[in-house]
Coordinates of all heavy atoms in Angstrom, one line a residue:
M14 N 48.1 234.2 -1.4 CA 49.0 234.7 -2.3 C 48.4 236.0 -3.0 O 47.4 235.8 -3.7 CB 49.3 233.7 -3.4 CG 50.0 232.5 -2.9 SD 50.5 231.4 -4.3 CE 48.9 231.0 -4.9
G15 N 48.8 237.2 -2.6 CA 48.2 238.4 -3.1 C 46.7 238.4 -2.9 O 46.3 238.1 -1.8
P16 N 46.0 238.6 -3.9 CA 44.5 238.7 -3.8 C 43.8 237.3 -3.8 O 42.6 237.2 -3.8 CB 44.1 239.5 -4.9 CG 45.1 239.2 -6.0 CD 46.4 238.9 -5.3
E17 N 44.6 236.2 -3.8 CA 44.0 234.9 -3.9 C 44.3 234.0 -2.7 O 45.4 233.9 -2.2 CB 44.6 234.2 -5.2 CG 44.0 232.8 -5.4 CD 44.5 232.2 -6.7 OE1 44.5 232.9 -7.7 OE2 45.0 231.1 -6.7
A18 N 43.2 233.5 -2.2 CA 43.3 232.5 -1.1 C 43.2 231.1 -1.7 O 42.6 230.9 -2.8 CB 42.2 232.7 -0.1
Q19 N 43.8 230.1 -1.0 CA 43.8 228.8 -1.5 C 43.5 227.8 -0.4 O 44.1 227.8 0.6 CB 45.1 228.4 -2.2 CG 45.0 227.0 -2.9 CD 46.3 226.7 -3.7 OE1 47.4 227.0 -3.3 NE2 46.1 226.1 -4.9
V20 N 42.5 227.0 -0.6 CA 42.2 225.9 0.4 C 43.1 224.8 0.0 O 43.0 224.2 -1.1 CB 40.7 225.5 0.3 CG1 40.4 224.3 1.3 CG2 39.8 226.6 0.6
T21 N 44.0 224.4 0.9 CA 44.9 223.3 0.7 C 44.3 222.0 1.2 O 44.4 220.9 0.5 CB 46.3 223.5 1.3 OG1 46.1 223.8 2.7 CG2 47.0 224.7 0.6
N22 N 43.7 222.0 2.4 CA 43.1 220.8 2.9 C 42.1 221.2 3.9 O 42.3 222.1 4.7 CB 44.1 219.8 3.5 CG 43.7 218.4 3.4 OD1 42.6 218.1 3.0 ND2 44.6 217.5 3.8
L23 N 41.0 220.5 3.9 CA 39.9 220.8 4.9 C 39.4 219.4 5.3 O 38.9 218.6 4.5 CB 38.8 221.5 4.2 CG 37.6 222.0 5.0 CD1 37.9 223.3 5.7 CD2 36.4 222.2 4.1
V24 N 39.5 219.1 6.6 CA 39.1 217.8 7.1 C 38.3 217.9 8.4 O 38.6 218.6 9.3 CB 40.4 216.9 7.4 CG1 40.0 215.5 7.9 CG2 41.3 216.9 6.2
I25 N 37.2 217.1 8.4 CA 36.4 217.0 9.6 C 36.6 215.6 10.1 O 36.5 214.6 9.3 CB 34.9 217.3 9.3 CG1 34.7 218.8 8.8 CG2 34.0 217.0 10.5 CD1 35.1 219.8 9.8
D26 N 36.8 215.4 11.4 CA 36.9 214.1 12.0 C 35.7 213.2 11.6 O 34.6 213.7 11.6 CB 37.0 214.2 13.5 CG 37.3 212.8 14.1 OD1 36.3 212.1 14.4 OD2 38.5 212.6 14.4
P27 N 36.0 212.0 11.1 CA 34.9 211.1 10.7 C 33.7 211.0 11.6 O 32.5 211.0 11.2 CB 35.5 209.7 10.5 CG 36.9 210.0 10.2 CD 37.3 211.3 11.0
S28 N 33.9 211.1 12.9 CA 32.8 211.0 13.9 C 32.0 212.2 14.0 O 31.0 212.3 14.7 CB 33.4 210.6 15.3 OG 34.2 211.7 15.8
H29 N 32.4 213.3 13.3 CA 31.7 214.6 13.4 C 31.2 215.0 12.0 O 30.7 216.1 11.8 CB 32.6 215.7 13.9 CG 32.9 215.6 15.4 ND1 32.2 216.2 16.3 CD2 33.9 214.8 16.0 CE1 32.7 215.9 17.5 NE2 33.7 215.1 17.3
R30 N 31.3 214.1 11.0 CA 30.8 214.5 9.7 C 29.3 214.5 9.6 O 28.6 213.9 10.4 CB 31.4 213.5 8.6 CG 32.9 213.8 8.5 CD 33.6 212.9 7.4 NE 35.0 213.1 7.6 CZ 35.9 212.3 7.0 NH1 35.5 211.3 6.3 NH2 37.2 212.5 7.2
R31 N 28.8 215.2 8.5 CA 27.4 215.3 8.2 C 26.6 216.0 9.3 O 25.5 215.7 9.6 CB 26.7 213.9 7.9 CG 27.4 213.1 6.8 CD 27.4 213.7 5.4 NE 26.4 214.6 4.9 CZ 25.7 214.4 3.8 NH1 25.8 213.3 3.1 NH2 24.8 215.3 3.4
Q32 N 27.3 216.9 10.0 CA 26.6 217.7 11.0 C 26.7 219.2 10.7 O 26.5 220.1 11.6 CB 27.2 217.4 12.4 CG 27.1 216.0 12.8 CD 27.9 215.7 14.1 OE1 28.0 216.6 15.0 NE2 28.4 214.5 14.2
G33 N 27.1 219.6 9.5 CA 27.2 221.0 9.1 C 28.5 221.6 9.5 O 28.7 222.8 9.3
K34 N 29.5 220.8 10.1 CA 30.7 221.4 10.6 C 31.7 221.8 9.4 O 32.3 222.9 9.5 CB 31.4 220.5 11.6 CG 30.6 220.4 12.8 CD 31.2 219.4 13.9 CE 30.3 219.4 15.1 NZ 30.8 218.4 16.1
G35 N 31.7 221.0 8.4 CA 32.6 221.3 7.3 C 32.1 222.6 6.6 O 32.9 223.5 6.3
E36 N 30.8 222.7 6.5 CA 30.2 223.9 5.9 C 30.5 225.2 6.7 O 30.9 226.2 6.2 CB 28.7 223.7 5.7 CG 28.0 224.6 4.8 CD 26.6 224.2 4.5 OE1 26.1 223.1 5.0 OE2 25.9 225.0 3.9
R37 N 30.4 225.0 8.0 CA 30.7 226.2 8.9 C 32.2 226.6 8.9 O 32.5 227.8 8.9 CB 30.2 225.9 10.3 CG 28.7 226.1 10.4 CD 28.1 225.5 11.7 NE 28.8 225.8 12.9 CZ 28.8 225.0 14.0 NH1 28.1 223.9 14.0 NH2 29.5 225.4 15.1
L38 N 33.0 225.5 8.9 CA 34.5 225.8 8.9 C 34.9 226.5 7.6 O 35.6 227.5 7.6 CB 35.2 224.5 9.0 CG 36.8 224.6 9.0 CD1 37.3 225.5 10.1 CD2 37.4 223.2 9.2
L39 N 34.3 226.0 6.4 CA 34.7 226.6 5.1 C 34.1 228.1 5.1 O 34.8 229.0 4.6 CB 34.0 225.8 4.0 CG 34.3 226.3 2.6 CD1 35.8 226.4 2.3 CD2 33.6 225.4 1.6
S40 N 32.9 228.3 5.6 CA 32.3 229.6 5.6 C 33.2 230.6 6.4 O 33.5 231.7 6.0 CB 30.9 229.5 6.2 OG 30.4 230.8 6.4
F41 N 33.7 230.1 7.6 CA 34.5 230.9 8.4 C 35.8 231.3 7.7 O 36.3 232.4 7.7 CB 34.9 230.2 9.7 CG 35.9 230.8 10.6 CD1 35.5 231.9 11.4 CD2 37.2 230.4 10.6 CE1 36.5 232.6 12.2 CE2 38.2 231.0 11.4 CZ 37.8 232.1 12.2
L42 N 36.5 230.3 7.0 CA 37.7 230.5 6.3 C 37.5 231.5 5.2 O 38.4 232.4 5.0 CB 38.3 229.2 5.8 CG 38.7 228.2 6.8 CD1 39.1 226.9 6.1 CD2 40.0 228.7 7.6
L43 N 36.4 231.4 4.5 CA 36.1 232.3 3.4 C 35.9 233.7 3.9 O 36.3 234.7 3.3 CB 34.9 231.8 2.5 CG 35.2 230.5 1.8 CD1 33.9 230.1 1.1 CD2 36.3 230.6 0.8
E44 N 35.2 233.9 5.0 CA 35.0 235.2 5.6 C 36.3 235.8 6.0 O 36.5 237.0 5.8 CB 34.0 235.0 6.8 CG 33.3 236.2 7.2 CD 32.6 236.9 6.0 OE1 31.8 236.3 5.3 OE2 33.0 238.1 5.7
Q45 N 37.2 235.0 6.6 CA 38.5 235.5 7.0 C 39.3 236.0 5.8 O 39.9 237.1 5.9 CB 39.3 234.4 7.7 CG 38.9 234.1 9.1 CD 39.2 235.2 10.1 OE1 38.3 235.8 10.6 NE2 40.5 235.4 10.3
A46 N 39.3 235.2 4.7 CA 40.0 235.6 3.5 C 39.5 236.9 3.0 O 40.2 237.8 2.5 CB 39.9 234.4 2.5
R47 N 38.1 237.0 2.9 CA 37.5 238.2 2.4 C 37.9 239.4 3.3 O 38.3 240.5 2.7 CB 36.0 238.0 2.5 CG 35.2 238.9 1.6 CD 33.7 238.6 1.6 NE 33.3 237.4 1.0 CZ 32.7 236.3 1.6 NH1 32.4 236.4 2.8 NH2 32.4 235.3 0.9
A48 N 37.9 239.2 4.6 CA 38.3 240.3 5.5 C 39.7 240.7 5.3 O 40.1 241.9 5.6 CB 38.0 239.9 6.9
E49 N 40.6 239.8 4.9 CA 42.0 240.1 4.7 C 42.2 240.7 3.3 O 43.4 240.8 2.9 CB 42.8 238.9 5.0 CG 42.9 238.6 6.5 CD 43.7 237.4 6.8 OE1 44.7 237.1 6.0 OE2 43.5 236.8 7.9
G50 N 41.2 240.9 2.5 CA 41.3 241.5 1.2 C 41.5 240.5 0.0 O 41.7 241.0 -1.1
C51 N 41.2 239.3 0.2 CA 41.3 238.3 -0.9 C 40.1 238.5 -1.8 O 39.0 238.8 -1.4 CB 41.3 236.9 -0.4 SG 42.9 236.5 0.4
L52 N 40.3 238.4 -3.1 CA 39.3 238.6 -4.1 C 38.7 237.3 -4.6 O 37.6 237.3 -5.1 CB 39.8 239.4 -5.3 CG 40.4 240.8 -4.9 CD1 40.9 241.5 -6.2 CD2 39.3 241.7 -4.3
R53 N 39.5 236.2 -4.5 CA 38.9 234.9 -5.0 C 39.6 233.8 -4.2 O 40.7 234.0 -3.6 CB 39.1 234.7 -6.4 CG 40.5 234.7 -6.9 CD 40.7 234.5 -8.4 NE 42.1 234.6 -8.8 CZ 42.7 235.8 -9.0 NH1 42.1 236.9 -8.8 NH2 44.0 235.8 -9.3
C54 N 39.0 232.7 -4.2 CA 39.5 231.5 -3.5 C 39.6 230.3 -4.5 O 38.6 230.1 -5.3 CB 38.7 231.2 -2.3 SG 39.3 229.8 -1.3
T55 N 40.7 229.6 -4.5 CA 40.8 228.5 -5.4 C 41.1 227.2 -4.6 O 41.5 227.3 -3.4 CB 42.0 228.7 -6.4 OG1 43.2 228.8 -5.7 CG2 41.7 229.9 -7.2
L56 N 40.9 226.1 -5.2 CA 41.3 224.8 -4.6 C 41.3 223.7 -5.6 O 40.8 223.8 -6.7 CB 40.2 224.4 -3.5 CG 38.8 224.3 -3.9 CD1 38.5 222.9 -4.3 CD2 37.9 224.7 -2.7
D57 N 42.0 222.6 -5.3 CA 42.0 221.4 -6.1 C 41.3 220.3 -5.3 O 41.5 220.2 -4.1 CB 43.4 220.8 -6.3 CG 44.3 221.7 -7.2 OD1 43.8 222.8 -7.5 OD2 45.4 221.3 -7.5
V58 N 40.5 219.5 -6.0 CA 39.9 218.4 -5.3 C 39.9 217.1 -6.2 O 39.8 217.2 -7.4 CB 38.4 218.8 -4.9 CG1 37.6 219.1 -6.1 CG2 37.7 217.7 -4.1
R59 N 40.1 216.0 -5.5 CA 40.0 214.7 -6.3 C 38.7 214.6 -7.1 O 37.6 214.8 -6.5 CB 40.2 213.5 -5.4 CG 41.6 213.1 -5.0 CD 41.5 211.9 -4.1 NE 42.8 211.5 -3.7 CZ 43.6 210.6 -4.4 NH1 43.1 210.0 -5.5 NH2 44.8 210.3 -4.0
A60 N 38.8 214.1 -8.3 CA 37.6 213.9 -9.1 C 36.7 212.9 -8.4 O 35.5 213.0 -8.6 CB 38.0 213.4 -10.5
A61 N 37.2 211.9 -7.7 CA 36.4 210.9 -7.0 C 35.8 211.4 -5.7 O 34.9 210.7 -5.1 CB 37.2 209.6 -6.8
N62 N 36.2 212.5 -5.2 CA 35.7 213.0 -3.9 C 34.4 213.8 -4.1 O 34.4 215.0 -4.0 CB 36.8 213.9 -3.3 CG 36.6 214.1 -1.8 OD1 35.4 213.9 -1.3 ND2 37.6 214.6 -1.1
I63 N 33.3 213.1 -4.2 CA 32.0 213.7 -4.4 C 31.6 214.5 -3.2 O 31.0 215.6 -3.3 CB 31.0 212.6 -4.7 CG1 31.4 211.8 -6.0 CG2 29.6 213.3 -5.0 CD1 31.6 212.6 -7.2
A64 N 31.8 214.0 -2.0 CA 31.4 214.7 -0.8 C 32.0 216.1 -0.7 O 31.3 217.1 -0.5 CB 31.8 214.0 0.5
A65 N 33.3 216.2 -1.0 CA 34.0 217.5 -1.0 C 33.5 218.4 -2.1 O 33.3 219.6 -1.9 CB 35.5 217.3 -1.1
Q66 N 33.3 217.8 -3.3 CA 32.8 218.7 -4.4 C 31.4 219.2 -4.1 O 31.1 220.4 -4.4 CB 32.7 217.8 -5.7 CG 34.1 217.5 -6.3 CD 34.0 216.4 -7.3 OE1 33.2 216.5 -8.2 NE2 34.9 215.5 -7.2
Q67 N 30.6 218.4 -3.4 CA 29.2 218.9 -3.1 C 29.3 220.0 -2.1 O 28.6 221.0 -2.2 CB 28.4 217.7 -2.4 CG 28.1 216.6 -3.4 CD 27.0 216.9 -4.3 OE1 26.2 217.8 -4.1 NE2 26.9 216.2 -5.4
L68 N 30.3 219.8 -1.1 CA 30.5 220.9 -0.1 C 30.9 222.2 -0.8 O 30.3 223.3 -0.5 CB 31.5 220.4 0.9 CG 32.1 221.5 1.9 CD1 31.0 221.9 2.9 CD2 33.3 220.9 2.6
Y69 N 31.9 222.1 -1.6 CA 32.4 223.3 -2.3 C 31.4 223.9 -3.2 O 31.2 225.2 -3.3 CB 33.7 223.0 -3.0 CG 34.8 222.6 -2.1 CD1 35.6 221.5 -2.4 CD2 35.1 223.3 -0.9 CE1 36.6 221.1 -1.6 CE2 36.1 222.9 -0.1 CZ 36.9 221.8 -0.4 OH 37.9 221.4 0.4
G70 N 30.6 223.1 -3.9 CA 29.6 223.6 -4.8 C 28.5 224.3 -4.0 O 28.1 225.4 -4.5
K71 N 28.1 223.8 -2.9 CA 27.1 224.4 -2.1 C 27.6 225.8 -1.6 O 26.8 226.7 -1.4 CB 26.8 223.5 -0.9 CG 25.6 223.9 -0.1 CD 25.2 222.8 0.9 CE 24.0 223.3 1.7 NZ 23.7 222.4 2.9
A72 N 28.9 225.9 -1.4 CA 29.5 227.2 -0.9 C 29.7 228.2 -2.0 O 30.2 229.3 -1.8 CB 30.8 226.9 -0.2
G73 N 29.4 227.8 -3.3 CA 29.5 228.7 -4.4 C 30.7 228.5 -5.3 O 30.9 229.4 -6.2
F74 N 31.5 227.5 -5.1 CA 32.6 227.2 -5.9 C 32.2 226.7 -7.2 O 31.2 225.9 -7.3 CB 33.6 226.2 -5.3 CG 34.5 226.9 -4.2 CD1 34.0 227.0 -2.9 CD2 35.8 227.2 -4.5 CE1 34.8 227.6 -1.9 CE2 36.6 227.8 -3.5 CZ 36.1 228.0 -2.3
Q75 N 32.9 227.0 -8.3 CA 32.5 226.5 -9.6 C 33.8 225.8 -10.2 O 34.9 226.2 -10.0 CB 32.1 227.6 -10.6 CG 30.8 228.3 -10.2 CD 30.3 229.2 -11.2 OE1 31.1 230.0 -11.8 NE2 29.0 229.2 -11.4
M76 N 33.5 224.7 -11.0 CA 34.7 224.0 -11.6 C 35.2 224.8 -12.8 O 34.4 225.2 -13.6 CB 34.2 222.6 -12.1 CG 35.3 221.6 -11.9 SD 35.5 220.6 -13.3 CE 33.9 219.7 -13.4
V77 N 36.5 225.1 -12.7 CA 37.1 225.9 -13.8 C 38.2 225.1 -14.6 O 38.7 225.7 -15.5 CB 37.7 227.2 -13.2 CG1 36.6 228.1 -12.7 CG2 38.7 226.9 -12.2
G78 N 38.5 223.9 -14.2 CA 39.5 223.2 -15.0 C 39.7 221.8 -14.4 O 39.1 221.4 -13.3
R79 N 40.6 221.0 -15.1 CA 40.9 219.7 -14.6 C 42.3 219.4 -15.0 O 42.8 219.6 -16.1 CB 39.9 218.7 -15.4 CG 40.0 217.3 -15.0 CD 39.0 216.5 -15.8 NE 38.9 215.1 -15.3 CZ 37.8 214.6 -14.7 NH1 36.7 215.3 -14.6 NH2 37.8 213.4 -14.2
R80 N 43.1 218.8 -14.0 CA 44.4 218.4 -14.3 C 44.5 216.9 -14.2 O 44.3 216.3 -13.1 CB 45.4 219.0 -13.2 CG 45.6 220.5 -13.4 CD 46.8 220.9 -12.6 NE 46.9 222.4 -12.5 CZ 46.7 223.1 -11.4 NH1 46.4 222.5 -10.3 NH2 46.8 224.4 -11.4
P81 N 44.8 216.2 -15.3 CA 44.8 214.7 -15.3 C 45.9 214.1 -14.5 O 47.0 214.6 -14.6 CB 44.9 214.4 -16.8 CG 44.7 215.6 -17.6 CD 45.0 216.8 -16.6
G82 N 45.6 213.1 -13.7 CA 46.6 212.3 -13.1 C 47.4 212.9 -12.0 O 48.5 212.5 -11.7
V83 N 46.9 214.0 -11.4 CA 47.7 214.7 -10.4 C 47.9 214.0 -9.1 O 48.9 213.9 -8.5 CB 47.1 216.1 -10.1 CG1 47.7 216.7 -8.9 CG2 47.2 217.0 -11.3
Y84 N 46.8 213.3 -8.7 CA 46.8 212.6 -7.4 C 47.3 211.2 -7.7 O 47.1 210.6 -8.7 CB 45.4 212.5 -6.8 CG 44.9 213.9 -6.3 CD1 44.0 214.6 -7.1 CD2 45.4 214.4 -5.1 CE1 43.5 215.8 -6.6 CE2 44.9 215.6 -4.7 CZ 43.9 216.3 -5.4 OH 43.5 217.5 -4.9
T85 N 48.0 210.6 -6.6 CA 48.5 209.3 -6.7 C 47.9 208.5 -5.5 O 47.3 209.0 -4.6 CB 50.0 209.2 -6.6 OG1 50.4 209.9 -5.4 CG2 50.7 209.9 -7.8
A86 N 48.0 207.1 -5.7 CA 47.6 206.2 -4.6 C 46.2 206.4 -4.0 O 46.1 206.7 -2.8 CB 48.7 206.2 -3.5
P87 N 45.2 206.2 -4.7 CA 45.1 205.9 -6.2 C 45.2 207.1 -7.1 O 44.9 208.2 -6.6 CB 43.8 205.2 -6.3 CG 42.9 205.9 -5.3 CD 43.8 206.3 -4.1
M88 N 45.7 206.8 -8.3 CA 45.8 207.9 -9.3 C 44.4 208.5 -9.5 O 43.4 207.8 -9.6 CB 46.4 207.5 -10.6 CG 46.6 208.6 -11.5 SD 47.4 208.1 -13.1 CE 49.0 207.9 -12.6
D89 N 44.3 209.8 -9.6 CA 43.1 210.5 -9.9 C 43.3 211.9 -10.5 O 44.4 212.4 -10.3 CB 42.3 210.7 -8.6 CG 40.8 210.9 -8.9 OD1 40.3 211.0 -10.0 OD2 40.0 211.0 -7.9
D90 N 42.3 212.4 -11.2 CA 42.4 213.8 -11.7 C 42.2 214.8 -10.6 O 41.4 214.5 -9.7 CB 41.4 214.0 -12.8 CG 41.7 213.2 -14.1 OD1 42.7 212.5 -14.1 OD2 40.8 213.2 -15.0
A91 N 42.7 216.0 -10.8 CA 42.3 217.1 -9.9 C 41.4 218.0 -10.6 O 41.6 218.4 -11.7 CB 43.6 217.9 -9.5
L92 N 40.3 218.3 -9.9 CA 39.3 219.3 -10.4 C 39.7 220.6 -9.8 O 39.9 220.7 -8.6 CB 37.9 219.0 -10.1 CG 37.4 217.6 -10.5 CD1 35.9 217.4 -10.2 CD2 37.6 217.4 -12.0
L93 N 39.8 221.7 -10.6 CA 40.1 223.0 -10.1 C 38.8 223.8 -9.9 O 38.0 223.9 -10.8 CB 41.0 223.8 -11.1 CG 42.2 223.0 -11.7 CD1 43.0 223.9 -12.6 CD2 43.0 222.4 -10.6
M94 N 38.7 224.3 -8.7 CA 37.4 225.0 -8.4 C 37.8 226.4 -7.9 O 38.9 226.6 -7.3 CB 36.6 224.3 -7.3 CG 36.2 222.9 -7.8 SD 35.1 222.0 -6.6 CE 33.5 222.7 -7.1
E95 N 36.9 227.3 -8.1 CA 37.2 228.7 -7.8 C 35.9 229.4 -7.4 O 34.8 229.1 -7.9 CB 37.7 229.4 -9.1 CG 38.2 230.8 -8.9 CD 38.9 231.4 -10.1 OE1 39.9 230.8 -10.5 OE2 38.3 232.3 -10.7
K96 N 36.1 230.4 -6.5 CA 34.9 231.2 -6.0 C 35.3 232.6 -5.9 O 36.4 232.9 -5.3 CB 34.4 230.7 -4.7 CG 33.3 231.5 -4.0 CD 33.0 231.0 -2.6 CE 32.2 232.0 -1.8 NZ 30.8 232.2 -2.3
C97 N 34.6 233.6 -6.4 CA 34.8 235.0 -6.2 C 34.4 235.4 -4.8 O 33.3 234.9 -4.4 CB 34.0 235.8 -7.3 SG 34.7 235.8 -8.9
L98 N 35.2 236.1 -4.2 CA 34.9 236.6 -2.8 C 34.2 237.9 -2.8 O 33.8 238.4 -1.8 CB 36.1 236.5 -1.9 CG 36.8 235.1 -1.8 CD1 38.0 235.2 -0.9 CD2 35.8 234.1 -1.2
Ligands
COA1 C1 34.4 217.0 2.9 C2 34.2 217.1 4.4 C3 35.2 218.2 4.9 C4 32.8 217.5 4.6 O1 32.6 217.8 6.0 P1 31.2 217.6 6.8 O2 31.3 218.3 8.1 O3 30.8 216.2 6.8 O4 30.2 218.4 5.8 P2 28.8 219.1 6.2 O5 28.1 218.3 7.1 O6 29.1 220.5 6.6 O7 28.1 219.1 4.8 C5 27.9 220.2 4.0 C6 27.6 219.8 2.5 O8 28.6 219.0 2.0 C7 28.1 218.0 1.1 N1 28.4 216.7 1.7 C8 29.1 216.4 2.9 N2 29.3 215.1 3.0 C9 28.8 214.5 1.9 C10 28.7 213.2 1.5 N3 29.2 212.1 2.2 N4 28.1 212.9 0.3 C11 27.6 213.9 -0.5 N5 27.6 215.2 -0.1 C12 28.2 215.5 1.1 C13 26.6 218.2 1.1 O9 26.3 219.1 0.1 C14 26.3 218.9 2.5 O10 25.2 219.7 2.5 P3 23.8 219.0 3.0 O11 24.0 218.5 4.4 O12 22.8 220.1 2.9 O13 23.5 217.9 2.0 C15 34.4 215.7 5.1 O14 33.7 214.7 4.4 C16 35.9 215.3 5.2 O15 36.6 215.7 6.1 N6 36.3 214.5 4.2 C17 37.7 214.0 4.1 C18 38.7 215.0 3.8 C19 38.4 215.7 2.5 O16 38.1 215.0 1.5 N7 38.6 217.0 2.4 C20 38.5 217.8 1.2 C21 39.8 217.7 0.5 S1 40.0 219.0 -0.7

């Protein structure tokens, strides 16, 4: 959307996790967004999803907000994360 890219979902098959593939896929997506003129990237992640938060934190995303009760089954807060490109 304009100068902003948004990660909606990023999934690595369970049998391929913890091999650096999520990090490489995210890095590729951010590079593509940067090349297309995006200035920042945003995303929402479940508060309970520590693996994804670690991945995004390692990639330079910072927590900028929290939306209570956004996710359902089970209910959870959404953490808003952002990275300048
Ligand atoms: C989140 C996800 C994409 C990570 O993919 P992955 O290929 O396993 O991740 P990588 O091997 O590239 O790991 C990169 C970094 O992420 C973090 N990380 C990944 N899995 C983790 C785990 N189980 N626990 C803690 N940190 C984890 C670590 O910081 C890791 O760096 P390190 O290896 O130096 O410790 C994967 O777990 C997944 O598909 N989860 C289900 C879908 C999901 O939750 N997507 C995000 C929704 S917004």
Side-chain angles (χ1 to χ4, degrees):
M14 295 185 295
E17 183 175 308
Q19 188 174 38
V20 177
T21 53
N22 208 354
L23 183 82
V24 182
I25 298 296
D26 186 275
S28 65
H29 289 266
R30 288 182 190 166
R31 301 303 326 237
Q32 298 171 34
K34 291 179 179 175
E36 199 172 348
R37 278 165 48 204
L38 179 59
L39 180 60
S40 170
F41 173 78
L42 293 172
L43 294 174
E44 203 47 58
Q45 286 290 114
R47 201 177 286 124
E49 290 181 23
C51 291
L52 301 178
R53 64 183 173 278
C54 184
T55 61
L56 59 87
D57 292 7
V58 59
R59 275 183 181 269
N62 192 346
I63 303 301
Q66 289 166 47
Q67 295 281 341
L68 169 69
Y69 296 134
K71 194 173 176 188
F74 281 82
Q75 294 188 320
M76 216 225 297
V77 294
R79 184 176 190 117
R80 290 196 189 108
V83 166
Y84 291 103
T85 54
M88 185 180 280
D89 200 358
D90 295 352
L92 303 184
L93 314 184
M94 301 186 81
E95 187 173 298
K96 174 185 166 70
C97 286
L98 299 179

